[in-house]
Each structure stands twice: as structure tokens, then as C-alpha cells.
Amino acid sequence: MQFIQNNKDILSPIGFFVLLSLVASLLFGFTHTPTWQDASQYSAYATHLSSGQGYSLDGVSFSNLREPGYPLFLALVYGVFGNENIFMVTIVQAFLLSLIAWMFFLIMKGIGHFRPGLILGAMIILFPSYGYYTHEVGSEILFMFCVALLFSLSFLVLKKEKEGGVDPGWYLLLGGVIGYGTLVRVQLLFLLPIMGLIVLLFFRRYVPWKGVVLTFVSFGILIGSWSLVCFKYTGSFALTTGRQELILHARAVRAELSYKELGQYFVAWIHKRVSLEYIDPMLQRADLVGIISAYTASATTPEVIAQIKQQDLRIIASRPMHYLAGNFIEVGKLYYIEYLYTPYLSKFVRAGMYTLLYLWTIFGIWALYAFRKHMKKEILELCVLVTILVSYNAFILSFFDTIPRYNTPSIVFFLMIGMLGVLVYKAGKATLREGSSFVMMSTSR
């Protein structure tokens, strides 16, 4: 592959990306006060881990309220730089952001596009949400790093298999990345089986079954080990307790709404996002924030929680079409504008940047389709990988209660779609011009 042949071209952009990431973090991160509600839990886990007290919120008893991936990362930073050194957490996350840009650059360089790779890397870093999240103690940047690494490794393994084969260690690494990404955010849990099925149906001539098995083995070791730990302390194999029962309850409440009321709920949800005020009774009735107080007031014991859960499951089972209709609303919520609070990100700026992002993506999709005859096979493979990851993310999350923040790690793929569209558009236009010139020359003769 081209990006393996020149070490200078590989390493030279890293300094540029690191500097750009620090600038983005300064502009969009340090200009706001970090939130601490979720961060306090992550920090508590990390503090107790780094002090040898185990995976605990209170330093006494085991708790898997949060997935362990980010607290482990945070504990490592605390162990090296000092407990609750949030400044160094920001610096490390800014460095991770530069590595994400670098990975996408390497992919673009690997298909013969050095300069577009630099531009794409810069676009990723300078998207304001990413600079914002470098300053937050949260899983966004780390999860995006895992997804970017998964994407890069998948493309690299497929390319190397076509060129003569890949060392089995790459498959172990791939499974480990998916496993750790799942422990950062459990939403990746079903990705590997789906990818295995796609390989079986479309890529089995390139990917050996032993490689697929090794990927599942390393994934299973990571996930299985944590699951056994959870079972030891809680009696359940669930990777995280999180807020599953509360989210299930919110979806059950919505499943009881009529289709008209579901539409009213979505309109009210958007209105709240624009005005930042809970003024619509439908939100108090059906939105997660609106029902949380009533739920927590009644769900006071494990027995009551179990009873509410069983009732919610019966409601959903009795009204499956209303529940599935709610999935479309969740996708709409997922791709809506995320609200971030900094001096530079007013609601108009945020609406503008998301409008440009989606227009860029729509252009990319149009160009990839309109000039598909001029598309290199490598670009087609990248499009397939992007489609798998983005579609999986939207499909899985549609069954839960979503917020636009869950879409933030996927924005890198929207930016890449636009860039790939530009490349295919330019190639197609160049071919058409050459064809027209050839016809004109032939006619003149």
C-alpha cells in the first residue's frame, strides 16, 4: 500500500494535526465551563481505580453503572499526571483527536490522495464539537478514537488480504479494538456479528475464516472477562446497569401514544431544543427528562424496578408498531443539532455548521452516485465500510432514547463522504472533458 512506502509522508503531518488540535481545543474547549454531572461519576471511578480501590463509585462496593472503558483511560491519565488533573485529560484528548485526523489522512493517502487527506484531517479537527469535547470529561473523544481505529484497521486488513495476506495478529487487534470500544460505549456490542455476516456474504473470498474466528476470540475475551466480573459482584452478566430501565420506561410511555401524539412529541422536542425551555405538556408526559422524576420516585427497590420493567415490556409487546414508529423519531433526534455552550457557538452558528455538514454529506452522496462509473474500487470499499458503521449506529440507537450527542462520533464519516464525493466528482468531470476533447479532435480531422 502506498502509505507504507514513505515514512516521511506518514509522520510529517502528525505535528500539524497536534498543533491544530490544541488550537481547536483552545477555541472551542477552554472557552466554556466543563459539565460535571456525568463527569463526576467517570472521575470517581478513575480515582478509585488509580488508588487501588477497584471499580467503584463510592470506593467501597462494586458498581457497573458506567461502562469501564473510559474510566480505565481516565485512571491511566490520573495515574501518570495526578488525580483529577483535568488539564492533562484535555491535552491527552486533544492528542487523541489529532490521531483520529491522522488515521483518516493515512486512509486517504493509501488510496493516492495526500492533499485531500490533509484537508479531511483538518476538517475533522476543526469541527467545533470535537474541540469542545476535548475539554469534557466524557467518552466522546475516546469512543470516536476507537471507531476511527476500527474503521482504519478494517480497511487496512481488507487491503492487505487482497495484496497477499495479513498477519493473524491484525485480526486479534481488530477484535480487541471492537471489544474495548464496546466497553467504552456498549452500543458496539452487536457490531462484530453483523460485520462477520457481511464478510461471509460479500468478502469471504478475501477474508479467511480463521481471521474472523480470531477477531471473535479477542473480542470475546475482553467482553467475556468484564461480563464475568459483573456476574461475580452483581449476579448478572450485563456489561452495565446504566439507565436501561429508565430508557425502556420512556420508550414504553411513548409506545402508548397515538401516531398523532408521537408527531406532537417530536415537534415539542424540537421546540425545546430551539427555545431551551420545557413549556410543552407533551414533554412532561413523554420525554425522558419529563418523566425521570416520577420514575425515580416510584422505582425505589429492585423489586419495584423489576415490576415496572415487566410492565414496560408488556406495553411494547402489545403495541410494536407504535414502538417502531418511535424509532424514526429517535433517528430524527439523533441527527438533530447538538447544543453546545461556548461564546463561539451560538444557536445560529450551531445551526449553520450542521447545515453545512449535512449539505456537504448530501453532495458527497450525490456525486458518488452520479459518477459511480468513475469510482475507484478502493473508494467503493471505503463507502461500504462507512455505510456499515453509520447505518449500524443509527439502527441500534433508534431502539433507545437518543440525543444528538450520540451522533457526534459519527460526524467524521459524514465529512469523509463529502470528501470522497469531491474526488469522484473531479475524476468524473476530468474523464468527461477528456472524452469531449477526443470527440472534437476526431471530428476536426
Side-chain angles (χ1 to χ4, degrees), residues 23 44 70 149 251 271 300 321 329 337 393 404:
V23 171
Y70 187 73
L149 185 55
R251 290 303 307 271
H271 182 261
T300 54
M321 298 310 297
I329 291 176
I337 303 165
N393 187 60

Side-chain angles (χ1 to χ4, degrees), residues 274-292:
V274 173
S275 66
L276 301 181
E277 297 176 358
Y278 272 86
I279 59 175
D280 196 301
M282 183 59 74
L283 294 176
Q284 294 294 336
R285 175 183 173 187
D287 195 48
L288 182 64
V289 177
I291 67 176
I292 190 170

